[in-house]
Amino acid sequence: MPERIVTVNVYAKILAVLLILTATTCAVSYIDMGRMNLVVMVLIACAKASLVALIFMHLRYSRHLMSIVAVGALFWLGILVALTLGDYLTRGWQ
Amino acid sequence: MGAVTTKTEEVQENYLNAEYGWKSWLFTTDHKRIGLLYLVSITLFFFLGGLFALLIRLDLLTPPGDMMSSEAYNKMFSMHGIIMVFFFLIPSIPAVLGNFVIPMMIGARDVAFPRLNLLSWYLFNIGGLCMLYAVVNGGVDTGWTFYPPYSSNFSNTNVAMAVTAIFIAGFSSIVTGLNFIITIHTMRAPGMTWFRLPLFIWSLYATSLIQVLGTPILAISLALVAAERLLHLGVFDPAYGGDPVLFQHIFWFYSHPAVYIMVLPSMGVVSELIPTFARKIIYGYKVVAAASVAIAIFSFLVWGHHMFVSGQSIFIGMVFSLLSYAVAIPSAVKVFNWTATLYKSSVSFQTPMLYAFGFIGLFTIGGLTGLFVAALGVNIHVTDTYFIIAHFHYIMVGGAVMGYLGGIHYWWPKISGRMYPEIWGKLAALTIFVGFNLTFFPQFILGYLGMPRRYHAYPPEFEMLNVLSTAGASILGVGYILPLIYLAWSMRYGEKAGPNPWFATGLEWRTPSPPPKKNFLETPVVTWEAYDISGQPDLVERLHNEDRIYKSALQAEERKREELGVETPAEGA
Ligand code: HEM
Ligand SMILES: [Cu+2]
């Protein structure tokens, strides 16, 4: 399968975005938003991970099978989180 | 077959004699040689792990356990477990037999990424060396499960090093799994459709899925333990705001599926052995294939059955108990299908088949006691007793190791080009079966009576059963050393095997033994269904002419027809 060529320019832009997001994370940690701090940081982290997977790891330019694999892996992580929370959220004694 | 047949007395070029010298082995990318490299590595670890087992059993020969201190005993069972699980059982069938036969079975010339394959062997050995360093540097005492706080604030042994060792070896497991998945997807010979694949391939495919999806989680859990120890991050230690039960969740998310990494490949071997030695197509091919994949998926949903007494909620305990009962179904389906295949078949009791029978019986006992311990109430009585030890040894030793040895004997003619001595083979199989049961059956009773696991001493009323168990272990030890000796002997003195000594149907048997460097003289084309002897006319002819059992079965069938006055069915019916 011929690989779509991604220009260095695109990589550079994505790198810049990633660095800005990292700076944002740092900045957010200085603002006290209570529980929302965590939410914002996780959202930023997810955005960064998506960029890396889609662009740097070429998921955007690959066959659908690759996306299925990636989503499947996330789903598997979801199983871990869901059943573990199934424990923590139903503990009568806590 | 091939257009150019070399003279028979000439030694044919094969993967063993194509190149010589240590470099030709250490830098090889040939999947067959890499399989043998793995064989050497894991055999060393098997006997090292076995040595620790021997010391454990010796200590338990007497009630006061006067051989070792409890600290030394903790280290013995920990190192035994870690080495057997991570450095022997997990790589055993996939990395040795899988590497050797998968490409040949699907009609390929190598795996998809041969150099990655070699890398996996190096990673395994680097991990292995780290482990050996941890062993000689004073050992580990956490148990193979590394639960905090044993592995965190209460441990002053080589936890970080042992964890690093498993972390590295884990990557070799991931790489092997990935390689197999891609090989099976992309490198099948013309005509080798998904439903013509041997069942060994299906079960290794399922195993590889678990390796790829599960092992990273193990790596994460171990990395977190190391990070907590070294950097005092609060993950599992309540003193830093962590939660020790969280470790158990993450650890068992990998480690329950890991028990299927160990047993699924053995099921695959058995699915090869039964049709071959019963001279019959497997009963319910698609069901057996689907059961492998179902096991791989369901195995990720039951981990909490290891945590019934950990303090997890009653609700999730019930969910995990229920799901555990569900995961037993596909395993049971396989057992029924193997048994149904045997019905009215012509069985020949050669060594690999003895191991297959051993597997079925012992795995069934292991699996059924799994249902005992998956019941919430019973579990509270037997958890952390010798009942658990017996349960998982029936599956991991009675099941997985039996399948591994069966597979080694079955493919030995292909690997070495020589037959092993059949009488010795049978003797060893029998010794192992007797020794195994004598070692582990008493442990069911001990556990039921309440003897806890992981203690170096016990009350005198348990002495009798413990002595039996230790006696069994020494028989088992002899049984494991025998194959080492006669297989080595046979490499030189064994009878020449020929391409297909078992009249088996797989593609790996349609090439010389040992196979040429590139597996096949010409690319095979598959026109028959899996295990269907009638699809290969040359094989049918050989069976008619050479195989006593097949002939007598045919004759018996004819006689019966005559007695009943049934007309011989038309050709091909
Ligand atoms: C098929 C292969 C299987 C293997 C290789 C296997 C292996 C193991 C191992 C190694 C342990 C002990 C872990 C430890 O605490 O150190 C264990 C415990 C357990 N197994 Fe299995 N098992 C298998 C099948 C099953 C099945 C089919 C069930 C139930 C449906 C089951 C239920 C359990 C339960 C509930 C425990 C925990 C008992 C306790 O610690 O209280 N297992 N198994
Ligand atoms: Cu389990």
Side-chain angles (χ1 to χ4, degrees):
Chain A
M1 206 182 57
E3 288 267 317
R4 186 91 57 90
I5 292 153
V6 189
T7 55
V8 179
N9 202 354
V10 174
Y11 286 140
K13 277 185 191 150
I14 298 298
L15 180 65
V17 175
L18 287 173
L19 288 173
I20 292 169
L21 286 173
T22 307
T24 319
T25 308
C26 290
V28 167
S29 68
Y30 286 101
I31 310 166
D32 188 5
M33 298 187 290
R35 290 191 147 211
M36 285 309 285
N37 272 75
L38 187 66
V39 176
V40 171
M41 287 193 186
V42 168
L43 282 179
I44 295 177
C46 287
K48 282 160 74 180
S50 313
L51 283 177
V52 171
L54 287 173
I55 314 289
F56 285 170
M57 296 170 82
H58 287 203
L59 209 52
R60 235 191 109 184
Y61 315 107
S62 308
R63 283 185 296 169
H64 284 305
L65 186 61
M66 293 303 136
S67 310
I68 296 175
V69 171
V71 173
L74 276 182
F75 178 74
W76 239 249
L77 196 63
I79 297 177
L80 173 63
V81 174
L83 282 172
T84 304
L85 283 180
D87 169 19
Y88 284 104
L89 300 180
T90 57
R91 284 186 185 174
W93 46 269
Q94 257 187 348
Chain B
M1 229 182 97
V4 247
T5 350
T6 40
K7 280 177 230 95
T8 38
E9 65 266 28
E10 224 175 273
V11 180
Q12 269 185 334
E13 187 181 85
N14 60 50
Y15 81 103
L16 289 172
N17 65 16
E19 285 166 277
Y20 289 101
W22 59 270
K23 275 190 191 160
S24 77
W25 283 90
L26 291 186
F27 298 119
T28 184
T29 52
D30 180 346
H31 65 100
K32 301 182 285 302
R33 285 192 168 203
I34 295 172
L36 293 192
L37 290 175
Y38 261 115
L39 177 64
V40 173
S41 300
I42 69 162
T43 304
L44 291 175
F45 278 108
F46 178 70
F47 282 97
L48 181 62
L51 182 72
F52 291 131
L54 193 71
L55 293 171
I56 292 172
R57 283 308 332 159
L58 277 178
D59 179 84
L60 293 177
L61 193 56
T62 55
D66 23 31
M67 199 174 105
M68 278 177 233
S69 65
S70 40
E71 285 78 21
Y73 184 83
N74 288 350
K75 289 180 181 171
M76 288 303 134
F77 73 69
S78 302
M79 294 187 296
H80 165 69
I82 294 170
I83 287 177
M84 285 304 202
V85 169
F86 296 110
F87 293 95
F88 171 68
L89 265 178
I90 289 190
S92 63
I93 296 185
V96 177
L97 296 172
N99 255 325
F100 198 93
V101 298
I102 285 181
M104 278 193 276
M105 276 185 150
I106 64 174
R109 309 229 171 237
D110 207 318
V111 292
F113 304 115
R115 271 179 295 184
L116 209 56
N117 204 13
L118 183 64
L119 175 71
S120 96
W121 181 72
Y122 277 102
L123 285 174
F124 176 78
N125 284 304
I126 295 170
L129 286 175
C130 291
M131 189 60 216
L132 287 180
Y133 176 80
V135 168
V136 296
N137 198 32
V140 207
D141 67 353
T142 57
W144 75 281
T145 45
F146 293 101
Y147 279 12
Y150 302 131
S151 60
S152 53
N153 30 359
F154 283 105
S155 178
N156 37 27
T157 53
N158 292 284
V159 179
M161 187 46 106
V163 160
T164 310
I166 296 170
F167 188 89
I168 297 172
F171 277 91
S172 93
S173 183
I174 298 174
V175 167
T176 302
L178 203 62
N179 219 338
F180 287 172
I181 291 177
I182 295 168
T183 305
I184 296 168
H185 268 276
T186 60
M187 301 189 57
R188 284 168 285 127
M192 183 57 96
T193 57
W194 279 93
F195 288 116
R196 282 180 181 168
L197 286 172
L199 288 166
F200 182 73
I201 301 289
W202 275 98
S203 51
L204 269 143
Y205 184 81
T207 310
S208 303
L209 284 181
I210 305 180
Q211 284 173 299
V212 170
L213 287 170
T215 319
I217 307 285
L218 172 77
I220 291 168
S221 70
L222 297 178
L224 287 174
V225 167
E228 187 169 271
R229 271 182 79 83
L230 304 174
L231 310 173
H232 303 286
L233 291 181
V235 188
F236 306 127
D237 184 351
Y240 304 122
D243 173 21
V245 176
L246 180 63
F247 174 84
Q248 298 185 24
H249 278 299
I250 306 179
F251 178 82
W252 286 112
F253 180 80
Y254 165 78
S255 290
H256 180 81
V259 306
Y260 284 101
I261 297 180
M262 304 175 217
V263 90
L264 264 171
S266 273
M267 293 172 155
V269 171
V270 172
S271 299
E272 295 299 307
L273 297 180
I274 301 258
T276 301
F277 292 94
R279 311 268 188 263
K280 198 161 162 233
I281 297 185
I282 190 119
Y283 178 80
Y285 170 92
K286 284 191 183 171
V287 179
V288 180
S292 292
V293 180
I295 288 175
I297 294 172
F298 281 123
S299 70
F300 280 99
L301 306 176
V302 303
W303 79 80
H305 65 211
H306 296 273
M307 303 168 56
F308 288 150
V309 298
S310 71
Q312 73 178 0
S313 78
I314 305 282
F315 167 76
I316 204 72
M318 293 194 308
V319 171
F320 278 127
S321 175
L322 205 70
L323 289 169
S324 301
Y325 277 84
V327 79
I329 296 172
S331 305
V333 164
K334 288 195 175 211
V335 172
F336 285 125
N337 277 275
W338 294 323
T339 322
T341 308
L342 293 173
Y343 181 62
K344 286 198 172 169
S345 66
S346 23
V347 178
S348 61
F349 294 89
Q350 275 149 313
T351 308
M353 191 60 162
L354 296 186
Y355 282 111
F357 283 134
F359 176 95
I360 296 179
L362 301 177
F363 174 73
T364 303
I365 297 179
L368 288 177
T369 50
L371 294 177
F372 290 26
V373 293
L376 279 170
V378 180
N379 183 276
I380 291 174
H381 178 62
V382 294
T383 189
D384 270 334
T385 69
Y386 265 82
F387 195 91
I388 303 302
I389 306 283
H391 155 67
F392 67 76
H393 281 88
Y394 263 76
I395 290 175
M396 305 206 308
V397 182
V401 180
M402 287 272 174
Y404 171 68
L405 287 174
I408 289 279
H409 284 82
Y410 178 57
W411 281 298
W412 188 250
K414 189 53 65 184
I415 293 173
S416 69
R418 309 265 179 173
M419 300 302 289
Y420 58 83
E422 186 63 40
I423 295 185
W424 283 101
K426 282 185 175 146
L427 186 74
L430 214 66
T431 312
I432 291 175
F433 186 79
V434 171
F436 173 81
N437 282 294
L438 193 56
T439 310
F440 291 105
F441 200 82
Q443 298 185 0
F444 275 129
I445 307 171
L446 281 169
Y448 187 75
L449 294 176
M451 177 168 161
R453 67 191 281 202
R454 298 184 169 174
Y455 282 81
H456 89 296
Y458 54 85
E461 58 263 37
F462 294 142
E463 181 166 15
M464 171 73 190
L465 289 164
N466 271 297
V467 170
L468 276 184
S469 182
T470 301
S474 56
I475 299 176
L476 192 57
V478 172
Y480 284 141
I481 290 172
L482 281 178
L484 196 66
I485 298 171
Y486 66 71
L487 289 180
W489 174 89
S490 76
M491 279 198 278
R492 207 184 167 113
Y493 303 104
E495 223 179 285
K496 282 246 159 74
N500 187 0
W502 311 121
F503 307 99
T505 52
L507 278 184
E508 78 272 29
W509 302 105
R510 298 187 72 79
T511 189
S513 313
K517 205 175 163 197
K518 287 285 157 198
N519 292 351
F520 298 98
L521 300 172
E522 43 187 76
T523 305
V525 178
V526 184
T527 54
W528 58 87
E529 302 306 314
Y531 309 110
D532 183 8
I533 299 169
S534 67
Q536 301 178 44
D538 51 339
L539 187 60
V540 176
E541 199 183 310
R542 269 192 65 213
L543 270 167
H544 276 284
N545 296 336
E546 295 171 35
D547 187 29
R548 192 173 45 80
I549 293 168
Y550 191 74
K551 263 193 291 191
S552 63
L554 279 184
Q555 283 163 359
E557 206 169 293
E558 229 157 76
R559 240 179 289 127
K560 202 175 244 166
R561 281 216 195 85
E562 273 165 24
E563 271 168 30
L564 297 171
V566 189
E567 282 185 29
T568 322
E571 193 60 32

